Every structure is written in C-alpha cells, then in structure tokens.
Amino acid sequence: MNQAATADIPDVPDATSFATLSPDTVLDALDALGLYGDGRLLALNSYENRVYQVGMEDGPPLVAKFYRPLRWSDAQILEEHDFSQELADEEVPVVPAMRLDNGATLHRHAGFRFAVFQRHGGRAPELDDADTLERLGRFIGRIHAVGMRRPFVERPALDLASFGHEPRDWLLAHDFIPMDVATAWRTTVEQALQGVQRCYDRAGEIRSLRLHGDCHVGNVLWTDAGPHFVDFDDSRSGPAVQDLWMLLSGERREMVGQLADLLAGYESFCEFEPRELYLIEALRTLRLIHYSAWLARRWDDPAFPAAFPWFNTQRYWQDRILELREQIALMDEPPLWPV
C-alpha cells in the first residue's frame, strides 16, 4: 500500500490558512522533492483544494495539488491515490498522483499536504455527440469494473445519511438559514429526503462500488485520442449511476437518448442494473442539499465569498426551496429508461 513520505505532522489548523500558501511556499515544497520550478506558477480552477501548474526547469510543467486541511485523513487520501493508480495500471485514462523517488505520493511542507501530477491538457467533451457519449460510457464502465473488485476501507459512502441528513443537520445547527424562510426550508428538505428514501426503496438493494464520485463534464478532458478523467478527490463508494447522471442534460427526451448512448458503451465492460435509474433524481436532490452545506462550511475561506457572492442571501435560500420542491415532484415521476 501507499505510504506518506513523512511522519504525521499536524495540518495547518483551519481553512483560512490557505492564505499562507504563497508562491514561494509552493516552489519550496517542490524543491524539497527535487522538482525545481522555473518561477512560472498558474493557479488552476479549484476551490476545495489549491492546485497549481508549475513550470519546471527541466521538463514539462507539473501540477501540484495542496489538500484542504482537515478534510480527509492521510489514509483517505492515500486510498484515493491507490485507486487512481490501480486504474492507470489497467490502462484506464486517469491522471494518478506521481510516485516520486521517496516512494510516496503524499508529501508535506510547511504544514500542508500535497501531491504532484503530470500535466494533461484537453478540452470539454461534446456531450451532444452520440459517439462521444458512448466512448465516455466505455471508460466509465472500465472504471467501475476495477472499482467493484474491492471496497474502500477508509473513504466514506455517498448515501442518504452523508449527503442528506448530515448536511441538513449541520446547516440548521450553524444558523445559516434565515429565520423568515427557516420553517419552509426545513419542511421542504424533510419532504425531499422522504422522496429520496422512496427512490431508494423502489430501487431495492443496490450494489456499492468505488466511484469517481464527481464525474461531471469539468472532470473529463478530451483530446484527439479520447478522454481522460481527472480529480478523484471526491471518490467514494456508491451506486454506479452516480458517475453517469451528471453527464445528462436538457429535456427528458434528450436525457433518455444521452443515457442510451452512455449505457451502450458502459455495458461493453460492466453490467448496469436498471433499477439504479430510480436513483437519478434522488442523487441530484442529495447533491443540491450537500452543495449548500459545502458552501456554508467553507464560508470562512476568503476565496468563497469572492467566488460565490450570491450564496447565503435571502434570494439564495428562496431559490433552493423552489429547486427542492421541483425535485420532490421529479422523484415521484417514472425514471429515465433508455429506449
């Protein structure tokens, strides 16, 4: 198994400490590993962690990812690294953390934990193209064929408790909901979670496997050779359909066709249980609740108010109530079934 490079040094104590992650700190961290930057540093689009493209004196640029303090344990990060490497060993196009001369993929500097990745560019896949969707489906099927070999031991599951009950309770306990909409929000969330439970009841017993976990279009980079999958930071155990539904968009008729194309490729490598389709709107509902709590938990990080100025306004919570009410209705509709 993967091992951390150094002893278990405590993390920087809070999220706002990302402010101390200066360009010099990033370059010094790489220097300590024998990776010498040439001074070019480009911050990449990431809010949960801090990710930089670093120009190197010798060779192509590398990507350095500095993990948010206190979010994952070392064991959970290393389990993600091991999963990505397992996929890469099976020639699934993912970007695993580099194992450097010290034999480790997880490193520490100035209290920060970080990993280094090869840089892989690409463009967003064209999700309105049937061939593209089928190819994506094939690779997701390959990810899942590996993912079902063994369970995660350290990383949590994506389920009603972790993505529904816990974030609801956290938001209420920390007084993020304005008083004049708190009753409506609490009632609507409760109805939504009851709807999620009904979806799970209709689906019955569902197989849980290791997932990408956050398989949206921003985490798939396309080149002339095809896709590669990045950012397994949200990798969890859960139902296979979690890695499919975020690639669907548009009206119901359009999503039915997209789903058919994805599954045409997926089932070349991994059997899909159609009962999981009962979970698509349930998983979307859980993601909406979890996302609000994610923003709230990060609100002390100065990057978040700057990037999400619309969060925690009166209008924001009113819109979330309407959004969840729409989801309540959608969860009681028949699921998408590919023709």
Side-chain angles (χ1 to χ4, degrees):
M1 292 292 290
N2 202 336
Q3 297 294 323
T6 62
D8 192 15
I9 304 169
D11 269 328
V12 176
D14 57 65
T16 61
S17 296
F18 267 139
T20 69
L21 185 60
S22 66
D24 283 344
T25 303
V26 173
L27 294 173
D28 288 346
L30 294 177
D31 283 353
L33 298 176
L35 302 172
Y36 302 109
D38 62 8
R40 292 175 297 159
L41 202 67
L42 175 65
L44 301 181
N45 186 26
S46 176
Y47 297 106
E48 184 64 2
N49 304 297
R50 296 295 184 266
V51 184
Y52 302 91
Q53 178 179 298
V54 185
M56 306 306 295
E57 289 183 355
D58 183 17
L62 297 175
V63 172
K65 176 180 178 180
F66 288 77
Y67 290 92
R68 177 170 293 275
L70 309 179
R71 183 186 181 215
W72 297 121
S73 69
D74 285 6
Q76 289 169 329
I77 294 173
L78 291 172
E79 195 167 46
E80 173 219 327
H81 290 181
D82 289 336
F83 181 39
S84 299
Q85 187 60 57
E86 187 180 355
L87 292 168
D89 291 343
E90 295 291 337
E91 299 184 347
V92 179
V94 302
V95 184
M98 294 172 59
R99 190 180 300 276
L100 300 176
D101 290 343
N102 58 10
T105 59
L106 181 61
H107 316 280
R108 291 180 181 269
H109 181 81
F112 292 102
R113 295 174 298 173
F114 70 101
V116 184
F117 301 81
Q118 292 182 348
R119 177 189 175 276
H120 287 262
R123 58 187 182 274
E126 298 178 3
L127 297 183
D128 56 350
D129 179 73
D131 289 339
T132 296
L133 287 169
E134 186 170 343
R135 291 182 73 185
L136 283 173
R138 286 202 295 271
F139 285 112
I140 295 171
R142 291 177 62 192
I143 290 173
H144 289 181
V146 174
M148 67 176 60
R149 289 177 181 172
R150 62 182 67 89
F152 279 137
V153 175
E154 302 293 340
R155 295 185 76 84
L158 193 167
D159 54 23
L160 180 58
S162 64
F163 264 54
H165 294 150
E166 193 279 335
R168 174 204 60 189
D169 294 344
W170 193 94
L171 286 166
L172 291 173
H174 290 79
D175 297 324
F176 265 86
I177 316 302
M179 288 185 61
D180 55 343
V181 298
T183 298
W185 185 86
R186 185 186 298 108
T187 301
T188 304
V189 169
E190 185 59 34
Q191 292 172 348
L193 293 177
Q194 290 171 3
V196 171
Q197 184 63 64
R198 289 195 298 272
C199 290
Y200 272 86
D201 290 343
R202 287 194 291 269
E205 186 175 351
I206 294 295
R207 177 182 60 197
S208 182
L209 65 151
R210 293 177 295 172
L211 304 168
H212 180 286
D214 195 27
C215 194
H216 57 74
V217 66
N219 283 334
V220 182
L221 298 178
W222 197 273
T223 68
D224 292 342
H228 53 274
F229 296 80
V230 298
D231 196 4
F232 279 71
D233 194 62
D234 287 303
S235 188
R236 292 173 176 253
S237 300
V241 74
Q242 168 65 18
D243 280 349
L244 297 170
W245 73 263
M246 277 185 277
L247 299 174
L248 308 178
S249 62
E251 300 297 326
R252 182 182 178 90
R253 177 182 57 80
E254 296 172 297
M255 289 193 290
V256 165
Q258 294 161 5
L259 179 61
D261 293 330
L262 282 170
L263 290 179
Y266 183 93
E267 294 200 299
S268 298
F269 292 93
C270 193
E271 182 181 359
F272 181 78
E273 174 52 65
R275 291 182 295 113
E276 290 195 26
L277 298 177
Y278 284 105
L279 300 182
I280 289 179
E281 295 303 333
L283 291 167
R284 193 191 311 275
T285 300
L286 291 176
R287 186 174 177 86
L288 293 172
I289 297 169
H290 183 269
Y291 184 69
S292 290
W294 176 72
L295 289 172
R297 292 177 199 267
R298 304 295 184 250
W299 207 236
D300 288 337
D301 181 338
F304 274 68
F308 307 98
W310 36 261
F311 174 69
N312 210 29
T313 62
Q314 190 83 5
R315 176 64 179 273
Y316 173 84
W317 294 108
Q318 290 171 342
D319 287 348
R320 299 294 74 73
I321 291 169
L322 293 175
E323 193 172 48
L324 287 173
R325 286 173 176 167
E326 292 175 357
Q327 285 303 118
I328 291 167
L330 287 171
M331 284 188 288
D332 284 333
E333 291 186 2
L336 296 177
W337 295 104
V339 294

